[in-house]
Amino acid sequence: MTIVEVPHGSRSVVLRVAAVITETPDTCSLVFDVPDDLRERFSYQPGQFLTLRIPSDLTGSVARCYSLASSPYTDDKPKVTVKRTVGGYGSNWVCDNVKTGDAIEVLPPSGVFTPKDLDDDLLLFGAGSGITPVMSILKSALARGSGRIVLVYANRDHESVIFAGELRELAEKHPQRLTVIHWLEHLQGLPTADGLAALVEPYTSYHAFMCGPKPFMDRVHDALGRLEVPRSRTHAEVFNSLAGDPFADQAPVEVTDEEAADAATVEVELDGEVHELKWPRKQTLVDIMLSKGLDVPYSCQEGECGSCACTVLEGKVEMDNAEILDPEDIENGYILGCQAHPVTDHLRIQF
């Protein structure tokens, strides 16, 4: 097996695998060593993910996003967890090939599937490997928060439950704060909206976070909708296989005089700082921010991962591809920076 030792772009780095952990017969975790000089770049929020560059005989490489199952507050090293999927090139390659000591090209942590306040009461839903970012949130909230946490975790059978032992230990250690509810398909059938709604009806005031296959997420959305849980308290993580190459450096944006003359003005809040930029209509928000040297969060540039999600506070945009966002998200002002073009002359946007 050959794994790249030199980054392909300026944003990525090569990390060593400190350990490979077998979680279940079809799931493994990769623990990474992060050198001291990269620790700040690889600091992360609970629920975020890493993008790995995986070798491919057909295309040279493919990019895959894998959630961090570790907590920045309880784990010394970042850990991603990967479950095999039928026909899944990336997941099968990782599980079949990666060994301790190997080097893998990685993009810094990204993603917005993270609680704003770890003191909130949390209602967490996971199915299969969807437990991965949920586990990061759960451990972080127990370590640094004060609220109650309810986890509903769906799997085929007992053998499929990822982190079963760790969840059991956490529930025993925090009996007043953590409730874990397992839904096993071989005993209860597939999760239904009615069944999920009945389970979580006592917790409708909690902030809900969900991750898993689309049919499962649809049923959770349906259940929460029936219970009239506000959309503002519902958060979903969605992953698609990335078609582009987020590891390649982007070519500089070229703007004609005509485009510059018709450009909109945008005030972008990023990491607490406000930047005023000219925004040509044919360019995306990520494009113009990169051209100004701003460290904008992004990964795929294809509208497939949600890394560049941000909120329109003033003005209006149009998007080339927004399928990863729910209609409710868009109504609440969420956009994808890598797909957005200005419609109005002045905008305010917050990351």
Side-chain angles (χ1 to χ4, degrees), residues 44-48 67-75 112-125 130-145 149 151 170 177-178 207-211 235-237:
Y44 61 96
Q45 298 297 314
Q48 290 193 307
S67 291
L68 288 149
S70 53
S71 164
Y73 309 116
T74 63
D75 298 286
V112 295
F113 184 69
T114 184
K116 291 184 177 179
D117 190 343
L118 290 175
D119 288 325
D120 286 336
D121 293 326
L122 302 176
L123 175 58
L124 309 177
F125 295 89
I131 189 63
T132 308
V134 168
M135 190 68 171
S136 179
I137 293 171
L138 183 154
K139 292 195 295 183
S140 298
L142 288 175
R144 291 296 179 93
I149 304 162
L151 168 65
L170 288 169
R177 293 187 58 206
L178 175 61
H207 286 259
F209 289 79
M210 68 186 80
C211 185
H235 314 273
E237 180 68 303

Side-chain angles (χ1 to χ4, degrees), residues 173-184:
K173 185 177 179 180
H174 303 276
Q176 302 303 316
R177 293 187 58 206
L178 175 61
T179 300
V180 179
I181 303 171
H182 289 284
W183 185 302
L184 299 178

Side-chain angles (χ1 to χ4, degrees), residues 14-342:
V14 175
L15 297 181
R16 291 283 174 183
V17 177
V20 179
I21 303 168
T22 300
E23 305 287 1
T24 71
D26 60 0
T27 307
C28 72
S29 291
L30 307 183
V31 181
F32 290 103
D33 273 323
V34 179
D36 289 342
D37 62 334
L38 292 176
R39 286 194 174 277
E40 185 173 346
R41 282 187 68 192
F42 275 81
S43 64
Y44 61 96
Q45 298 297 314
Q48 290 193 307
F49 62 85
L50 297 181
T51 305
L52 276 55
R53 186 175 186 271
I54 295 172
S56 167
D57 292 336
L58 295 177
T59 62
S61 71
V62 294
R64 293 293 184 267
C65 301
Y66 295 117
S67 291
L68 288 149
S70 53
S71 164
Y73 309 116
T74 63
D75 298 286
D76 293 334
K77 301 174 189 275
K79 177 180 75 173
V80 299
T81 301
V82 182
K83 181 177 181 178
R84 293 181 187 272
T85 58
V86 177
Y89 177 82
S91 61
N92 284 288
W93 184 90
V94 169
C95 292
D96 287 338
N97 293 283
V98 180
K99 303 291 187 293
T100 300
D102 285 342
I104 298 181
E105 189 173 357
V106 182
L107 288 172
S110 192
V112 295
F113 184 69
T114 184
K116 291 184 177 179
D117 190 343
L118 290 175
D119 288 325
D120 286 336
D121 293 326
L122 302 176
L123 175 58
L124 309 177
F125 295 89
S129 60
I131 189 63
T132 308
V134 168
M135 190 68 171
S136 179
I137 293 171
L138 183 154
K139 292 195 295 183
S140 298
L142 288 175
R144 291 296 179 93
S146 59
R148 287 185 52 83
I149 304 162
V150 175
L151 168 65
V152 179
Y153 187 17
N155 283 283
R156 293 189 308 270
D157 49 37
H158 288 95
E159 194 177 55
S160 304
V161 179
I162 307 171
F163 311 130
E166 190 174 4
L167 285 169
R168 186 165 52 249
E169 291 174 4
L170 288 169
E172 291 171 356
K173 185 177 179 180
H174 303 276
Q176 302 303 316
R177 293 187 58 206
L178 175 61
T179 300
V180 179
I181 303 171
H182 289 284
W183 185 302
L184 299 178
E185 183 182 336
H186 80 118
L187 295 176
Q188 299 157 274
L190 290 169
T192 63
D194 286 340
L196 292 169
L199 276 180
V200 305
E201 187 173 7
Y203 315 111
T204 54
S205 64
Y206 290 22
H207 286 259
F209 289 79
M210 68 186 80
C211 185
K214 187 177 185 304
F216 173 76
M217 304 256 275
D218 288 344
R219 294 183 185 104
V220 174
H221 275 300
D222 192 359
L224 296 178
R226 297 181 190 190
L227 296 173
E228 298 183 350
V229 175
R231 182 65 194 178
S232 61
R233 284 197 273 109
T234 303
H235 314 273
E237 180 68 303
V238 180
F239 285 123
N240 295 313
S241 293
L242 305 185
D245 182 6
F247 291 88
D249 287 332
Q250 302 301 309
V253 174
E254 296 183 3
V255 181
T256 66
D257 291 341
E258 182 179 355
E259 289 172 335
D262 186 43
T265 301
V266 59
E267 294 179 19
V268 181
E269 182 179 339
L270 177 67
D271 297 330
E273 294 187 17
V274 177
H275 308 270
E276 185 168 323
L277 308 172
K278 289 294 186 180
W279 187 357
R281 312 280 173 172
K282 293 183 179 180
Q283 307 298 332
T284 70
L285 181 59
V286 167
D287 284 339
I288 64 161
M289 292 179 71
L290 288 174
S291 71
K292 298 301 181 182
L294 299 177
D295 189 19
V296 55
Y298 79 96
S299 186
C300 71
Q301 292 254 66
E302 304 287 340
E304 297 172 339
C305 71
S307 300
C308 60
C310 49
T311 306
V312 176
L313 303 178
E314 180 183 328
K316 184 178 180 181
V317 306
E318 59 184 8
M319 288 184 281
D320 298 324
N321 174 19
E323 291 184 6
I324 197 172
L325 296 178
D326 291 333
E328 294 90 344
D329 291 328
I330 296 173
E331 287 178 12
N332 289 329
Y334 288 103
I335 65 168
L336 300 175
C338 75
Q339 300 295 302
H341 302 271

